[in-house]
Amino acid sequence: MISTKPRFLSMGSTLVAALVLAGCTSLAPRHERPAAPVPAELPLPASLAASAPAAAASTAWPDFLRSAPLQQLVKLSLERNRDLRLAVLNVQRAQAQLGVTRADRLPTVGAGLTQSAAPSGGGTARSYTAGLQVSGWEIDLFGRLANLGEAAQAQVLASEAGRRSAELALVAGVASSWLTLAADTDLLASTSRLVESREASMKLAQLRFDKGAASSLELQSARLLLEQARAARAQLQRQRDQDLNALTLLAGGPVPAELLPTASTSAMAGDTLAPVPVGLSSQVLLQRPDVIEAEQQLVAASANIGVARAAFFPRLTLTASAGQASTSLSDLFSAGQFAWTMSSQLLATVFDAGRNKANLEGAKIARDIAVAQYEKAVQSAFRDTADALAGLDTWRDQLAAQQTQLDAIRETVRLTDLRYQNGAASELERLDAQRSLLSAEQALVQVRLGEQLNRVALWKVLGG
């Protein structure tokens, strides 16, 4: 038994030296971001290409969404949405795993009281020890534990990027669903007004038919138009109810009535969203949460290669204890009973039937997969952005043309009504003009909705 203080200090010096050596070596390949397999510049429309800056600042959702009810609904959704809650829990789980990995790099110290007995000269020899123990502490000579920690850290960053991606998708989804609900509410209101008009026309046609002033064909035509309007109203009512169900799911619960859009919301949709700033450089896509997530998965895959390579080298572990030792329990804590022990073990794999080689090959393939997934994420981001940018001018032009068409049809309806009142136009001509007006009004609502949804999509694909 060794019990001198200088040797105990020597043990402490050995542990300090082991801590210094731990993690000094890494066998993982150095991470380098793959070159983006997309053009250096975004395909901006002609109206923006000349004036767009090289890079544009991101727009936070409270600045992008100008409608107060929509902002409150987004806040409510961020608090209650289950998908976002799962993303937050994934971050917390990754952080907990990182804590476990970091703890593996440090010794685990335990305290205990032990008794041992062995035959001795026809009797039994007993010994008692009490103190601190370090068992099986791995000295990270080749960076195995350090690479595991690096992989765990990358998983934390990837899960955090996944949380931001889920939040971005949630905000965009709530905004799109809210705008769609507003448009369908407007369409339902206009169709309900049409039903009321057709019901009045039906009563008039029935009255004229009963007095012999209208034919059966005219009566049936009025009835047909009324039933068509009722069928359209039922379809739009079902569609609006489904829109509300989708919005309720995103919001994580019932949506307060004061936060729902009204029938006039879609007509004012141009003031609901702020313009989306767009720059020239496609480097902005690298800051998207989904792209960052893919890159951190690549970092983790590279670190795992270092873990697999370290398995080819010997693994050094230390076991040590320090405390009181005695052959008698009553003298265990007496002066002069201090003792310490320390042992080390160096183990190297001699034969594993190719397991380590296969693990290393699997780690390299996993890294190649992560590279491909990262490049795919960048390409998908570029495609989504290009599609949204292509819609900037075309949706705006289509909206202007649809508005002009609606103004022309309204004038046609006004003139047709004048001719009808003067006996120069038939009831069929007047109804046909009104039908064209309704179609044009509904088309304008749909085009306006398309332009708004495209703007939401552009905000989302640029990373918010």
Side-chain angles (χ1 to χ4, degrees):
M1 180 180 298
I2 302 174
S3 60
T4 60
K5 183 178 291 187
R7 292 185 178 180
F8 175 68
L9 295 177
S10 175
M11 181 189 74
S13 300
T14 302
L15 293 177
V16 171
L19 283 171
V20 173
L21 288 174
C24 291
T25 303
S26 176
L27 301 178
R30 182 179 179 181
H31 170 69
E32 293 183 1
R33 176 184 292 173
V38 295
E41 294 185 354
L42 296 174
L44 299 184
S47 61
L48 293 178
S51 59
S58 60
T59 303
W61 68 261
D63 298 325
F64 175 62
L65 305 177
R66 291 176 171 175
S67 168
L70 180 54
Q71 288 183 350
Q72 295 177 20
L73 181 57
V74 169
K75 291 179 181 178
L76 187 65
S77 301
L78 292 175
E79 296 173 357
R80 303 190 309 185
N81 183 265
R82 298 321 191 264
D83 290 335
L84 186 58
R85 186 179 302 176
L86 288 175
V88 172
L89 292 175
N90 285 333
V91 175
Q92 295 174 353
R93 180 175 60 181
Q95 290 172 339
Q97 183 59 44
L98 176 60
V100 173
T101 305
R102 286 176 173 173
D104 289 339
R105 300 188 64 182
L106 298 176
T108 300
V109 181
L113 175 65
T114 61
Q115 173 192 356
S116 61
S120 176
T124 302
R126 301 179 184 276
S127 63
Y128 302 89
T129 60
L132 303 179
Q133 294 182 346
V134 175
S135 178
W137 173 37
E138 180 179 349
I139 308 302
D140 197 20
L141 296 178
F142 300 100
R144 188 184 77 89
L145 298 180
N147 290 143
L148 285 173
E150 184 180 354
Q153 177 66 40
Q155 290 294 345
V156 171
L157 296 177
S159 60
E160 174 60 27
R163 183 202 63 78
R164 296 200 306 272
S165 181
E167 179 178 321
L168 187 67
L170 176 60
V171 173
V174 170
S176 298
S177 296
W178 192 85
L179 291 169
T180 301
L181 180 61
D184 288 341
T185 300
D186 197 359
L187 292 174
L188 179 60
S190 64
T191 305
S192 296
R193 292 193 297 270
L194 177 64
V195 170
E196 294 175 358
S197 175
R198 294 287 167 83
E199 288 175 344
S201 298
M202 179 62 192
K203 291 180 180 179
L204 179 60
Q206 184 68 52
L207 181 61
R208 297 180 67 233
F209 176 78
D210 293 341
K211 294 184 176 182
S215 64
S216 176
L217 178 61
E218 183 178 342
L219 177 63
Q220 294 303 320
S221 297
R223 179 176 288 111
L224 174 62
L225 292 175
L226 173 59
E227 296 306 323
Q228 287 176 344
R230 286 174 174 172
R233 182 178 62 179
Q235 179 182 359
L236 287 171
Q237 182 65 56
R238 179 175 65 252
Q239 186 171 322
R240 184 191 179 280
D241 292 342
Q242 292 173 347
D243 293 339
L244 181 57
N245 293 337
L247 187 59
T248 301
L249 177 62
L250 289 173
V255 180
E258 63 271 16
L259 301 184
L260 294 175
T262 62
S264 60
T265 302
S266 64
M268 300 180 295
D271 299 327
T272 303
L273 305 177
V276 180
V278 181
L280 285 171
S281 176
S282 61
Q283 291 295 312
V284 66
L285 303 179
L286 302 183
Q287 304 305 315
R288 281 180 34 151
D290 57 335
V291 176
I292 294 177
E293 182 180 9
E295 183 178 4
Q296 291 303 318
Q297 295 291 356
L298 174 57
V299 172
S302 298
N304 286 331
I305 292 179
V307 176
R309 286 174 175 171
F312 288 88
F313 295 90
R315 186 177 299 182
L316 175 63
T317 58
L318 294 181
T319 298
S321 64
Q324 299 289 101
S326 175
T327 58
S328 173
L329 181 60
S330 60
D331 296 334
L332 180 60
F333 295 100
S334 300
Q337 301 298 324
F338 178 78
W340 63 270
T341 62
M342 184 177 69
S343 64
S344 59
Q345 186 180 52
L346 187 66
L347 291 178
T349 301
V350 177
F351 176 76
D352 64 356
R355 180 181 293 105
N356 287 341
K357 184 178 180 180
N359 286 335
L360 178 58
E361 185 65 23
K364 290 180 178 179
I365 294 175
R367 184 183 184 277
D368 293 340
I369 293 174
V371 170
Q373 290 174 335
Y374 172 80
E375 293 175 344
K376 180 181 178 181
V378 175
Q379 289 180 333
S380 297
F382 187 88
R383 160 69 191 280
D384 294 342
T385 306
D387 287 346
L389 288 172
L392 278 181
D393 283 352
T394 53
W395 277 113
R396 192 179 298 116
D397 293 343
Q398 184 177 353
L399 183 61
Q402 193 66 46
Q403 182 64 59
T404 302
Q405 180 182 355
L406 177 59
D407 294 339
I409 293 178
R410 283 174 175 167
E411 180 63 16
T412 300
V413 171
R414 188 185 70 83
L415 296 175
T416 303
D417 284 341
L418 289 176
R419 296 181 67 241
Y420 177 77
Q421 293 172 7
N422 294 324
S426 64
E427 173 68 12
L428 183 60
E429 290 176 319
R430 188 175 72 91
L431 293 176
D432 186 64
Q434 291 177 350
R435 183 167 55 248
S436 298
L437 177 60
L438 176 65
S439 298
E441 289 175 343
Q442 293 182 340
L444 179 63
V445 172
Q446 296 288 359
V447 173
R448 186 185 291 117
L449 174 62
E451 191 275 334
Q452 295 296 305
L453 295 182
N454 182 78
R455 202 186 304 182
V456 172
L458 179 60
W459 175 82
K460 178 186 175 183
V461 299
L462 291 177

